Amino acid sequence: MRKFLLLIFIGISLHSSSQKIYGVVYNATGDLLPYASVTIKGTTIGASANNKAKYSLSVPPGKYTLVCQYIGFIEQEKNIQLTDSSDEELVFVLKEQKLTLQEVVVKPGEDPAYEIIRQAIKKRPYYNKQVRSFDCDLYTKNIIKLRHLPNEIFGQKISADDKAALQLDSTGKGIVYLSESVGKISSQQPNKYKVEIKKSRVSGSGNFGFAFPTFINFYQNNVSIFSNRLNPRGFISPIANGAMNYYKFKYLGSFWEDGKEINSIRVTPRRNYEPLFSGVINITEDDWRIHSVELSLIKKQSLEFLDTLTITQFYVPVNDTVWQLKNQVLHFNFQQFSIDAIGNFISVYSKYRIDPTFPKGFFDNVILKYDTGVNKNPATYWDSTRPVPLEKEEIKDYEVKDSLYQVGKDSALTKRVVDSLRKKQGPINPFKVLYLGVDRMHYSQTFTYRWAVDALLQKMEYNLAEGVVINANGHFDKDLDDKHAHLSISPTVRYGFSNTHLNAWANIVYTTRHFKDDKFAKDTWSLGGGKRVSQFNNANPITADVNSISTLFSGKDFMKTYENYFVSAGFSRKFDNGLQVGINGLYEDRIPLDNTTDFIFFKKDLPHITPNYPYQKIAAQFTPYQAFLIDANISYQPGQRFIQYPNGKISLGSRYPVFTLNYIKGIKNIFGSDVDFDKWNLSIRNEFNFKLAGILKYNFVLGGFLNTNKVFIQDYTHINGNEYFAASAYLNSFQLADYYLYSNTSRFYTEAHIEYHLNGLLTNKIPLFNKYDWNLVLGSNAFYINEDGNYTEVFVGIENFLRLFRIDFVAGFRDGKTAETGIRLGTQGLLGGQNKFRRQQNPLKF
């Protein structure tokens, strides 16, 4: 009761009058102890020291006992009487922990640590579920610093002006991201969780910072860090059920705090290339709970993206039976592509309430919510609130960047600022238009927008119908802030030097966002028109660059195209519950496009040349005709979770599948339309993360025609085949199937795509594979139309090859018989590429 009253008194007083207790934490030799934990005894209110070992704690006048802790050092208590006249300095000097080796009964030849870990493993499920519900206050400070930035990344030069814009020095050093947030965490078993961010700031920006707390829970068998972004398999806890099979433990000794003995244990992975921690875990005697940890991950322990990550945690008693996390520090290092960066994510948890009563409906599909006034607080608020003092470089970063932001904000409409921004972009270089393209902002006092032109040489292609093709792709984008709207215009001019045809078309997309009473919707209006060149399969399974190489070097021009005058219009609405609906209309005047050249590099390959139409399905080129199509689609993924911002929501996904239903109606006699058919398609896709056992991904498709009164080849059901060495879109295509051999108008067809990514399972025990972080992927693609129209392929592949590629060995079976085998090379990782699922494009969208 005394502790409870003290907590209530402090909580009430903090809203009225408070002073600061501040100081520095040293060791006995005068060295700083960064990120030490400082707590008011008898409460969960406290602070964390910063990187310079300075701490600060705002409390009302009164008498307090402060406790300072640091892993490997004896905790120290100090009493202080705080008056309302001035702040008080309190310096801590911690002595190194002298661990004592107690006499314990162990198995012969076994280290005492193993019996302690066994006891902790037995208690792990209890502590993981001990607290039915709780809430607490949260403070986070996240900082990322560059220690080196090269002058060029992936061929893109980093100029001195670019470094200056990031407030870096000439060597590329400085803070690139600094943010603070204050909020509240609420949790309820078994899996309800909510974070409310009340206040947030980002240095040099009017936005709010990323504040999702990383409650790293070592009481779970599989520890998730950043939602498994650093390894989809997760990491095995040192007190997991099977920890003895993965870790070696060494008893370092014990020490005493508040009459309780704490055992200190060294944790070492038994093998490299397993998702394991190394470091120290401290466990209390008799009740076998976690007291504190300092555990690290490195590349050899399956850490992805980062080079090192060190996790420091301190737990404190909330009441006589419950301990909760008080401080957590994540320190990471990143060194790739000559970029050297470090960062610290500090979280301070305080004012725990155990088993509070939450109002009905409190836990909904929003798990992270930012208040409407989240970024409206002045600097004085943060100076009186933060439990982690700013370092000198952080103070300077706020002062300089916030001043520049305010100047830019106050002067955004002045001619001087506009002229400066224009000048900084420099003149347009004609050679850059050819090789790199142009991407510029037009700054104006009244009308600011972005315009761009894609690199002309990168958009060149070659095919036998048009010869050498030049594509000039332009882009215009403008935000309409007053309406939360965005306008995008994308014109294209295409010219074929062999057939001398000029095609030009444009697409316009207008997007608006609606946010009212915590309900969010996004509307998209689209309009397009002109004359263009299209593939017969509107999913566009063949890329122009791959087709150009194939045509020139082998004569195999697989990209079958036709010309069409078209007008399209569409509307879609995306709701915040995972539902999306849309309707689109398309009119096409379809014109055949025949080959006009037979130029290839090697004349011996002339027999490979085929007509510019799907000759496998139609005997001759089609005659011109018109088509008017209406497309309705609906997509839904139940159970989605969201981050809610003051003016919108972002989906975090769901464990349930995405269901997509598409219906296309070809209508006769409208604008001279010749088509008459009804076609439907249902897809179900999802993935399951089995942590250590890997990830299973799938995409199942059902569909067919309800009416086939008049169907032309462009509107057939097309199977996304692939006849190139380069892999096509995974989970949506067939790596060895012909492009048009299986096109059909069947009343029913089905296809399935399944991939099992082992993510290190098995391969982390193979020397060459684990050294280069290669992973296996297994799977199969199959479709069924009828007994004479079915196809299956199975594959085994290696992912993360050279960090960028995936290589698959594929065997295909036509109608139950072996057809062929082949190798496919795809991109992944930093290049993204075909490793990600690509939804089939809607034929009525442009």
Side-chain angles (χ1 to χ4, degrees):
M1 178 62 71
R2 181 180 65 83
K3 293 180 180 179
F4 177 75
L5 293 175
L6 176 61
L7 186 62
I8 293 295
F9 170 74
I10 293 176
I12 295 174
S13 302
L14 281 175
H15 293 283
S16 53
S17 175
S18 64
Q19 305 298 130
K20 279 188 177 180
I21 304 173
Y22 67 95
V24 185
V25 183
Y26 299 96
N27 66 12
T29 60
D31 296 324
L32 298 175
L33 296 179
Y35 306 116
S37 174
V38 179
T39 310
I40 297 176
K41 190 173 184 178
T43 75
T44 57
I45 298 174
S48 172
N50 63 18
N51 190 46
K52 304 299 182 183
K54 295 181 179 180
Y55 75 92
S56 176
L57 188 62
S58 296
V59 292
K63 186 176 181 180
Y64 300 99
T65 299
L66 268 63
V67 181
C68 184
Q69 295 173 292
Y70 195 89
I71 292 180
F73 290 80
I74 302 173
E75 75 167 16
Q76 187 178 23
E77 294 185 5
K78 284 194 173 185
N79 298 317
I80 188 171
Q81 179 70 47
L82 188 64
T83 66
D84 57 3
S85 58
S86 63
D87 298 337
E88 294 288 341
E89 182 177 12
L90 196 61
V91 175
F92 287 94
V93 179
L94 304 186
K95 296 181 180 180
E96 189 172 349
Q97 191 75 254
K98 300 298 182 182
L99 300 176
T100 60
L101 296 175
Q102 304 292 336
E103 291 186 5
V104 293
V105 178
V106 298
K107 296 179 180 179
E110 182 181 72
D111 191 284
Y114 287 88
E115 182 57 31
I116 296 171
I117 292 296
R118 287 191 191 96
Q119 297 299 327
I121 292 173
K122 290 180 182 178
K123 294 289 287 187
R124 182 197 60 77
Y126 170 75
Y127 289 130
N128 192 37
K129 302 294 184 182
Q130 180 187 17
V131 177
R132 185 182 65 86
S133 62
F134 73 87
D135 63 27
C136 70
D137 288 354
L138 166 72
Y139 167 84
T140 67
K141 185 178 77 170
N142 301 331
I143 180 172
I144 301 175
K145 296 190 291 186
L146 280 174
R147 296 189 294 191
H148 180 260
L149 183 66
N151 295 324
E152 186 175 297
I153 300 177
F154 292 125
Q156 298 293 320
K157 290 186 177 181
I158 308 298
S159 66
D161 289 339
D162 294 327
K163 294 179 180 180
L166 294 172
Q167 299 298 311
L168 305 177
D169 61 22
S170 59
T171 63
K173 296 180 180 179
I175 296 175
V176 293
Y177 180 78
L178 173 62
S179 73
E180 297 177 275
S181 296
V182 171
K184 185 177 182 179
I185 299 175
S186 303
S187 178
Q188 182 173 287
Q189 297 283 4
N191 55 11
K192 294 180 179 179
Y193 191 77
K194 192 166 193 174
V195 181
E196 300 166 281
I197 301 300
K198 309 294 185 182
K199 317 291 181 185
S200 184
R201 70 185 298 203
V202 178
S203 178
S205 172
N207 295 322
F208 33 84
F210 174 78
F212 198 82
T214 53
F215 245 138
I216 298 175
N217 184 4
F218 288 98
Y219 286 118
Q220 293 180 336
N221 277 317
N222 190 287
V223 179
S224 173
I225 303 176
F226 294 119
S227 299
N228 291 323
R229 293 296 189 272
L230 300 184
N231 189 332
R233 303 180 71 199
F235 299 90
I236 301 171
S237 171
I239 57 172
N241 288 343
M244 298 293 183
N245 299 320
Y246 293 97
Y247 291 102
K248 293 185 289 186
F249 301 99
K250 180 177 177 58
Y251 180 65
L252 302 179
S254 66
F255 58 94
W256 292 80
E257 283 186 0
D258 294 332
K260 181 175 288 292
E261 184 180 9
I262 295 101
N263 301 291
S264 187
I265 297 173
R266 172 73 62 186
V267 178
T268 306
R270 288 187 179 274
R271 297 174 296 275
N272 288 327
Y273 310 109
E274 296 271 13
L276 303 172
F277 299 93
S278 62
V280 175
I281 182 169
N282 296 321
I283 296 176
T284 58
E285 183 72 17
D286 295 330
D287 49 10
W288 317 111
R289 69 173 84 240
I290 298 175
H291 168 273
S292 53
V293 304
E294 189 173 68
L295 297 170
S296 298
L297 295 167
I298 60 175
K299 287 288 187 182
K300 284 190 175 182
Q301 261 59 64
S302 300
L303 180 65
E304 297 181 4
F305 185 69
L306 302 176
D307 288 270
T308 63
L309 174 68
T310 299
I311 304 165
T312 304
Q313 290 184 337
F314 282 98
Y315 293 76
V316 295
V318 176
N319 55 39
D320 293 337
T321 60
V322 174
W323 288 40
Q324 290 287 86
L325 181 61
K326 157 109 178 18
N327 285 2
Q328 178 176 274
V329 179
L330 305 183
H331 175 78
F332 64 85
N333 174 265
F334 173 89
Q335 287 184 323
Q336 291 190 45
F337 313 110
S338 298
I339 301 173
D340 187 354
I342 61 172
N344 295 302
F345 289 1
I346 304 172
S347 299
V348 179
Y349 311 90
S350 61
K351 299 182 184 178
Y352 278 93
R353 291 195 308 155
I354 304 301
D355 292 332
T357 300
F358 296 111
K360 185 178 180 180
F362 177 79
F363 293 103
D364 51 19
N365 60 0
V366 175
I367 63 172
L368 175 58
K369 181 178 181 180
Y370 289 83
D371 280 4
T372 54
V374 65
N375 56 348
K376 306 300 183 184
N377 296 89
T380 53
Y381 165 81
W382 295 98
D383 293 337
S384 62
T385 301
R386 67 171 62 91
V388 183
L390 296 178
E391 302 170 21
K392 287 184 178 180
E393 63 176 338
E394 294 171 348
I395 295 174
K396 181 180 178 180
D397 192 75
Y398 271 130
E399 290 176 348
V400 173
K401 291 182 180 178
D402 286 353
S403 296
L404 291 175
Y405 170 75
Q406 194 61 42
V407 169
K409 181 180 178 182
D410 294 341
S411 307
L413 302 180
T414 66
K415 185 177 185 303
R416 178 177 60 83
V417 173
V418 169
D419 290 342
S420 176
L421 291 171
R422 286 178 176 175
K423 184 178 179 181
K424 187 175 181 180
Q425 294 186 108
I428 297 176
N429 188 326
F431 292 101
K432 284 189 176 181
V433 176
L434 292 175
Y435 292 97
L436 299 175
V438 178
D439 193 339
R440 298 172 71 87
M441 291 295 297
H442 173 81
Y443 294 102
S444 168
Q445 298 182 31
T446 58
F447 195 74
T448 296
Y449 58 87
R450 169 187 170 267
W451 68 274
V453 177
D454 295 341
L456 295 180
L457 291 182
Q458 293 182 16
K459 293 295 182 178
M460 286 184 64
E461 58 182 279
Y462 178 79
N463 62 71
L464 299 179
E466 300 170 277
V468 176
V469 178
I470 291 290
N471 289 284
N473 300 89
H475 308 277
F476 172 89
D477 293 277
K478 178 169 178 56
D479 289 322
L480 308 174
D481 295 331
D482 55 331
K483 297 181 180 180
H484 301 293
H486 181 82
L487 176 65
S488 176
I489 303 174
S490 301
T492 299
V493 177
R494 179 185 179 99
Y495 182 75
F497 284 88
S498 179
N499 67 349
T500 67
H501 287 193
L502 178 68
N503 291 281
W505 67 94
N507 301 316
I508 302 173
V509 178
Y510 179 73
T511 304
T512 60
R513 300 173 183 271
H514 310 281
F515 193 76
K516 184 178 180 181
D517 298 329
D518 290 342
K519 296 294 183 181
F520 171 76
K522 177 182 176 182
D523 291 345
T524 301
W525 301 84
S526 58
L527 179 65
K531 183 170 180 277
R532 65 185 176 184
V533 176
S534 303
Q535 293 189 42
F536 281 86
N537 182 352
N538 54 66
N540 298 320
I542 309 170
T543 61
D545 51 354
V546 173
N547 185 73
S548 299
I549 295 172
S550 173
T551 301
L552 287 169
F553 285 89
S554 69
K556 296 179 179 179
D557 188 356
F558 292 116
M559 183 186 289
K560 306 306 180 183
T561 58
Y562 67 99
E563 291 182 323
N564 58 94
Y565 292 94
F566 79 100
V567 176
S568 63
F571 170 78
S572 67
R573 168 164 287 191
K574 185 177 182 179
F575 298 90
D576 63 2
N577 61 355
L579 176 67
Q580 183 171 354
V581 296
I583 186 167
N584 300 271
L586 172 67
Y587 171 82
E588 280 190 345
D589 185 358
R590 295 170 173 173
I591 306 168
L593 188 61
D594 292 312
N595 290 338
T596 59
T597 180
D598 61 357
F599 174 80
I600 58 177
F601 288 155
F602 306 106
K603 298 303 180 182
K604 65 180 180 62
D605 292 322
L606 285 174
H608 293 162
I609 293 177
T610 55
N612 190 38
Y613 57 84
Y615 61 92
Q616 302 95 327
K617 303 304 296 185
I618 56 177
Q621 181 67 275
F622 73 92
T623 56
Y625 70 97
Q626 292 75 45
F628 181 77
L629 312 177
I630 294 293
D631 177 348
N633 59 81
I634 181 170
S635 178
Y636 181 58
Q637 184 179 31
Q640 288 198 49
R641 301 178 302 166
F642 296 90
I643 297 176
Q644 179 174 314
Y645 297 110
N647 58 353
K649 286 183 177 180
I650 294 179
S651 174
L652 295 175
S654 168
R655 61 191 179 95
Y656 297 104
V658 178
F659 300 89
T660 302
L661 178 63
N662 179 252
Y663 188 91
I664 300 177
K665 172 70 175 177
I667 305 177
K668 191 174 183 180
N669 296 328
I670 295 183
F671 305 118
S673 173
D674 299 299
V675 300
D676 183 5
F677 66 87
D678 294 84
K679 182 170 67 171
W680 65 279
N681 176 284
L682 172 67
S683 68
I684 305 171
R685 59 184 175 90
N686 198 13
E687 66 178 54
F688 295 104
N689 189 343
F690 298 113
K691 302 295 179 66
L692 296 180
I695 294 178
L696 179 69
K697 300 180 180 181
Y698 68 82
N699 179 33
F700 298 140
V701 181
L702 305 173
F705 281 83
L706 302 178
N707 159 36
T708 57
N709 291 334
K710 194 68 173 179
V711 188
F712 292 89
I713 183 64
Q714 287 90 339
D715 301 310
Y716 279 31
T717 295
H718 298 289
I719 301 300
N720 291 331
N722 180 35
E723 298 182 60
Y724 293 115
F725 176 73
S728 55
Y730 302 128
L731 285 176
N732 196 33
S733 65
F734 299 85
Q735 299 299 337
L736 298 181
D738 294 344
Y739 288 109
Y740 292 102
L741 180 63
Y742 298 100
S743 298
N744 66 90
T745 58
S746 174
R747 287 190 171 276
F748 179 81
Y749 83 97
T750 181
E751 63 180 90
H753 308 270
I754 301 176
E755 289 187 348
Y756 177 35
H757 301 256
L758 276 68
N759 291 342
L761 183 67
L762 301 180
T763 56
N764 58 12
K765 299 176 178 62
I766 303 174
L768 187 63
F769 279 74
N770 57 31
K771 180 179 180 180
Y772 294 104
D773 198 22
W774 295 345
N775 298 325
L776 287 177
V777 56
L778 311 173
S780 178
N781 303 307
F783 65 79
Y784 181 86
I785 303 171
N786 51 49
E787 291 184 358
D788 298 323
N790 60 83
Y791 176 85
T792 301
E793 61 186 24
V794 295
F795 57 87
V796 57
I798 298 176
E799 296 185 290
N800 210 31
F801 184 73
L802 300 179
R803 301 284 181 182
L804 299 175
F805 301 104
R806 167 176 159 179
I807 301 176
D808 290 271
F809 176 80
V810 189
F813 303 88
R814 294 180 181 175
D815 303 327
K817 301 177 182 179
T818 302
E820 61 180 319
T821 59
I823 295 177
R824 293 294 181 260
L825 176 67
T827 56
Q828 64 174 55
L830 293 174
L831 298 182
Q834 296 94 346
N835 196 30
K836 297 182 179 180
F837 176 86
R838 187 177 72 186
R839 182 181 297 180
Q840 181 172 339
Q841 296 184 11
N842 191 307
L844 308 192
K845 294 181 180 178
F846 33 81

